[in-house]
Structures are given as structure tokens and as C-alpha cells.
Amino acid sequence: MIIREAKLLNGSKAQYQALEQAIRTAQFIRNKAVRLWRDEPDVNKARLSVLCKELATEFPFAQKLNSMARQASAQRAWNSISSFYRRCREGAKNKGYPQFKKHSRSVEYKTSGWKLSKDCLTINFTDGFQAGKFSLFCNHQTREDLFRLKINRVRVVRRADGYYAQFCFDAHRKETGNYTGNVVGIDLGLTYFYKDQNDNAAIYPKYLRQAEKRIKKLQRQLSRKFVKGKKPQSNNYHKARMRLGKCHLKVTRQRKDWAVKLARCVVHSNDVIVYEDLKIQNMVKNHHLAKSISDASWYQFTQWLDYFGKVWDKTVIAVAPNYTSQDCSSCGHRVKKSLSTRTHQCPKCKIEICRDTNAAWNILNKGMKILDVECNQIKGTEGHSGTSEYSGTLEETTTSAVDGQPEIVSGVGESRITDV
């Protein structure tokens, strides 16, 4: 599924308020579905569908929302419930108990409740809220897809700078890749965003640090305008809140743009990409580095690596980061070192190289071993002794280009990436 986005423009204040009411109604239905699951035993997906009809009968504002949009809201609740059951069966530490939503930002329509104009320049929302017609502001790629692809769903998303329509197309993106024969191992870090085995490095611009001074100023202005216990807050408070939200939104977009462009460049220049699968949730527990780690957005970068690997039929492998910085890439001797030690010096083979370059070599070697085992299994050979029944216990995943089909090894689920 391909997702494109367009901004909804040229609407009146009443029209945007109608969209907001639709979003709040979708949140209401989802929360009611979660409440029903908590109160009644043996609630399944069919029971939640019946609940949508009951709510439309009981509440007039719920009936205004399109019937398919009500079903989509109940489906969101069921997705949360089913994920909770799955994690319980797997014995996960964090079960993710379904919670109520307080600040939802989107409503999802399926095939009804909206109508696109023939020239694909406007969209008209026709459900009970009567939001009406909006102009679509988007790039040329989105406009082309609106003409030639089938639209499965339309989401209305509220952001700090306005409302957007997301179009979900029933299509599979596939492009012809430029095969160079290059392989690369990537070590992610903070001094350098990443460094490969050839000592090539990328330096992250640190967008949050650049905007931090302005964010603090806007946060102080917002705090001064807040009156405790007052409902609703003043118009000046909401204006300050929107200014702060736009500043955060700009940082988010800069971060995503950096991740997409860098990942595209790396995958385009190499045929095999190996990176370390970092446990970022554990790393941000270090309060001295949490802000820098979050600002670096390693997870977003690696997700786009996987995505472009599938688009161009390139091999992208994620390996466990265990001891990649400690082991010597030349002789395998383990050299203990702290984070402040940036040079790898092996007392056994006397090699002296950058710590990140040494880690990149270890990451690349791990990935090539995994790729060799998979190729042997596909050819029907025995493979390496002791690894022919590889089960992915180290949580290593790969996106393989074998037979032209991307696949995930070790049963780790494929993460959903939106191509916006």
C-alpha cells in the first residue's frame, strides 16, 4: 500500500470545525469499543461492529459520522486489543494494555463519505458533518497517483499547521535498481550519525539542538498564558500553543527529510547494506544521552533503509549489536573499552583504528555470514555447521532480494512504512 498526502486548503472556519467534530466522534467510538471490551467477557470483532450500530442509534452525533468511518474506528480498537493478546501469548515484557485515547488526531474513511473531483483538485466530504469541499495542495507525484491508482481509504489528519488528507492506494511500489556490487556495514553513533567500514561518515545536523532556543522561548510564552483551573483557556493561549506546535512539527519534518534522503543515497550506492539493530528504548534510559539519541532518529533511518531495499531489490540486513565495538575486526580479540574511548587498540594483533570503523567491519562480517547461510539454504546445501537451523534468536532480520521478493527472516514482523 502506498500512502500520499495532500493539505486541505480553502475551507472556512465552520468546515474545519466539522472535520474536528468528525475526529472527536471517531475517538468517542474507539473509546466506547475499548470500554465494552473491558466490561464484557468474550468481546470479539463482530461484537464491536454491532456496537457501532448501537452507538449510532443512541447518540445523534455518532450517526453523523459515516458508517464505514465508524467501522474503521472500531477496527482501530480491535487492532489494539488483538495486539495485546498476541504479546501476552508471546510472553512479552510490555503487554501494551489497550488504553483510552484522549487526543486523537485522525479519522479514517473507507470508500464512502468522500468524493474526489474529476480533475483531482478538490475533495468533498459528504457524511453527516457536511464538512464540504476542500482544495488539495500536493506535489506532482501525489496528483499522478490520484489519477491512475485505486484509492482504498482516505484519512483526515490534524497537524499543528492545518488539516491533511492521506490517500491509501492499492499498489505495490517497485523500481529498477542500479546495481553497483558494493557492500557496506553501518555503525550508528552520536559523534557521527553513521560510519562505514571504509571510514566514510555522515554528520547529523542536530535539528532539535538548533531549534532548542526558540522552543524554550515559545514554551515560556505558553506557560505565562496558562491560567490554572480556567476552562476554556484564552485565545492568546491557543495561539501560543499553535506556534509551539509548528516549531516542533518543523523539527520532525527536517528529521524525516534527512532520514529519507540519506537512506535513499545509501541503498542506491550499495547492493548489500548491513546495520546494527539497536534497542533504542533501552538506550534512552541514559538521561545524559537521551535527548541526543532521540534527536538522531536512528530507527526512522533504518526503517527507510528497509523500505528502499524492497523498492530496489537490494539486500538490507539488521544484525545484533552485541560486542561490535569491543571485538577486534582483525583477529577477533575482545577489548573492553568505555564510551569515551574512541580508538580501538588491540593488544593481540597491534591494530589501531577508529572505534566506529572497527564496529562497522564487525557489523559487515556478521551480515555477510547471515547472507551466506541463507544462500546455502536456498540452494539446498547444508550451510555452516551449527547454523543451518538459524532461528533468529539474536533478533537479526534481513530484507533479501532473492527471487526478486523481499522477505523477513526469523519471523520478525515487517514494520509499516508510509511513503508520504
Side-chain angles (χ1 to χ4, degrees):
M1 183 178 292
I2 297 177
I3 297 179
R4 303 292 186 191
E5 191 171 280
K7 191 170 184 179
L8 299 175
L9 297 179
N10 300 331
S12 63
K13 185 177 181 180
Q15 286 180 281
Y16 290 121
Q17 287 178 349
L19 291 180
E20 183 64 27
Q21 291 173 4
I23 292 174
R24 295 185 64 183
T25 304
Q27 172 186 301
F28 169 79
I29 293 174
R30 184 212 177 267
N31 289 342
K32 280 290 186 179
V34 174
R35 170 54 64 190
L36 179 67
W37 172 76
R38 289 188 179 187
D39 293 342
E40 293 185 9
D42 302 328
V43 172
N44 55 17
K45 186 177 179 180
R47 178 66 183 90
L48 296 184
S49 298
V50 175
L51 175 67
C52 295
K53 298 180 181 179
E54 296 174 354
L55 293 176
T57 304
E58 184 178 357
F59 300 97
F61 66 89
Q63 191 173 8
K64 290 183 179 180
L65 188 64
N66 179 263
S67 60
M68 288 190 176
R70 294 197 298 266
Q71 295 291 336
S73 299
Q75 178 66 39
R76 289 184 177 184
W78 179 249
N79 289 341
S80 178
I81 294 168
S82 59
S83 298
F84 168 70
Y85 285 146
R86 175 180 53 81
R87 286 188 288 265
C88 289
R89 290 192 300 268
E90 295 174 352
K93 183 177 179 181
N94 297 322
K95 304 297 189 299
Y97 191 78
Q99 302 291 334
F100 298 112
K101 289 287 186 180
K102 186 177 181 182
H103 300 291
S104 293
R105 297 188 178 184
S106 64
V107 58
E108 185 173 84
Y109 296 90
K110 294 185 180 179
T111 57
S112 62
W114 57 274
K115 184 175 179 60
L116 196 65
S117 63
K118 292 183 179 180
D119 56 3
C120 296
L121 294 177
T122 61
I123 185 172
N124 187 18
F125 294 97
T126 59
D127 61 347
F129 291 104
Q130 296 294 321
K133 187 181 292 186
F134 296 88
S135 299
L136 294 176
F137 179 75
C138 56
N139 56 20
H140 71 281
Q141 184 63 57
T142 302
R143 193 80 66 189
E144 290 178 2
D145 290 342
L146 288 174
F147 277 105
R148 65 185 182 87
L149 297 179
K150 178 185 176 182
I151 301 175
N152 274 355
R153 300 193 178 195
V154 175
R155 297 192 193 101
V156 177
V157 182
R158 183 187 73 244
R159 293 204 174 95
D161 62 341
Y163 291 82
Y164 291 80
Q166 288 184 349
F167 299 94
C168 305
F169 299 104
D170 186 12
H172 182 67
R173 183 180 176 185
K174 207 70 177 176
E175 297 178 8
T176 303
N178 179 27
Y179 297 99
T180 61
N182 298 330
V183 296
V184 64
I186 294 176
D187 176 66
L188 301 173
L190 293 178
T191 305
Y192 304 101
F193 182 77
Y194 81 76
K195 210 168 194 182
D196 63 14
Q197 77 278 7
N198 297 320
D199 217 28
N200 298 320
I203 300 177
Y204 184 65
K206 299 180 181 179
Y207 295 112
L208 181 61
R209 298 288 185 179
Q210 293 176 9
E212 198 169 19
K213 183 176 180 181
R214 174 165 174 76
I215 288 175
K216 288 182 178 180
K217 179 180 178 180
L218 293 175
Q219 186 64 60
R220 287 195 299 269
Q221 293 176 358
L222 179 67
S223 179
R224 284 197 294 266
K225 291 176 174 61
F226 178 77
V227 179
K228 186 176 180 180
K230 182 180 179 181
K231 292 185 179 180
Q233 296 292 326
S234 64
N235 290 334
N236 287 334
Y237 169 82
H238 290 291
K239 289 178 182 178
R241 179 177 60 83
M242 295 302 293
R243 286 194 294 269
L244 178 62
K246 288 180 181 180
C247 190
H248 279 291
L249 183 62
K250 181 180 178 180
V251 173
T252 302
R253 287 172 171 168
Q254 288 176 321
R255 192 180 292 153
K256 179 182 176 182
D257 184 68
W258 160 268
V260 172
K261 290 179 178 178
L262 185 61
R264 185 184 181 94
C265 179
V266 171
V267 178
H268 186 268
S269 304
N270 302 277
D271 292 352
V272 178
I273 301 96
V274 188
Y275 65 88
E276 52 182 343
D277 188 14
L278 298 174
K279 301 300 180 184
I280 300 174
Q281 288 184 345
N282 297 334
M283 298 177 69
V284 295
K285 294 178 182 178
N286 184 345
H287 298 293
H288 299 286
L289 300 175
K291 184 182 292 187
S292 298
I293 292 173
S294 299
D295 190 24
S297 189
W298 295 324
Y299 179 77
Q300 191 174 39
F301 171 69
T302 56
Q303 290 296 92
W304 283 101
L305 283 179
D306 292 336
Y307 176 73
F308 285 119
K310 293 169 187 173
V311 169
W312 287 325
D313 261 353
K314 302 293 186 73
T315 302
V316 181
I317 305 173
V319 301
N322 303 350
Y323 302 108
T324 53
S325 296
Q326 310 288 345
D327 293 344
C328 179
S329 59
S330 177
C331 64
H333 181 70
R334 184 160 297 171
V335 182
K336 297 289 184 180
K337 57 179 77 72
S338 63
L339 286 175
S340 59
T341 305
R342 307 312 304 171
T343 303
H344 171 76
Q345 297 177 335
C346 181
K348 188 174 181 180
C349 63
K350 308 302 181 182
I351 190 174
E352 183 175 345
I353 58 175
C354 174
R355 172 200 182 106
D356 298 333
T357 307
N358 176 73
W361 275 111
N362 288 328
I363 291 167
L364 179 61
N365 293 335
K366 277 189 174 184
M368 298 309 293
K369 288 180 181 177
I370 295 172
L371 188 61
D372 186 35
V373 171
E374 291 181 0
C375 290
N376 288 334
Q377 289 177 348
I378 292 173
K379 294 176 183 177
T381 58
E382 180 183 359
H384 293 293
S385 175
T387 60
S388 59
E389 295 182 358
Y390 171 72
S391 59
T393 54
L394 294 180
E395 299 179 2
E396 295 162 339
T397 64
T398 177
T399 304
S400 176
V402 179
D403 296 332
Q405 293 294 331
E407 61 184 16
I408 300 293
V409 177
S410 78
V412 179
E414 178 183 353
S415 298
R416 179 178 177 274
I417 300 182
T418 61
D419 182 22
V420 177

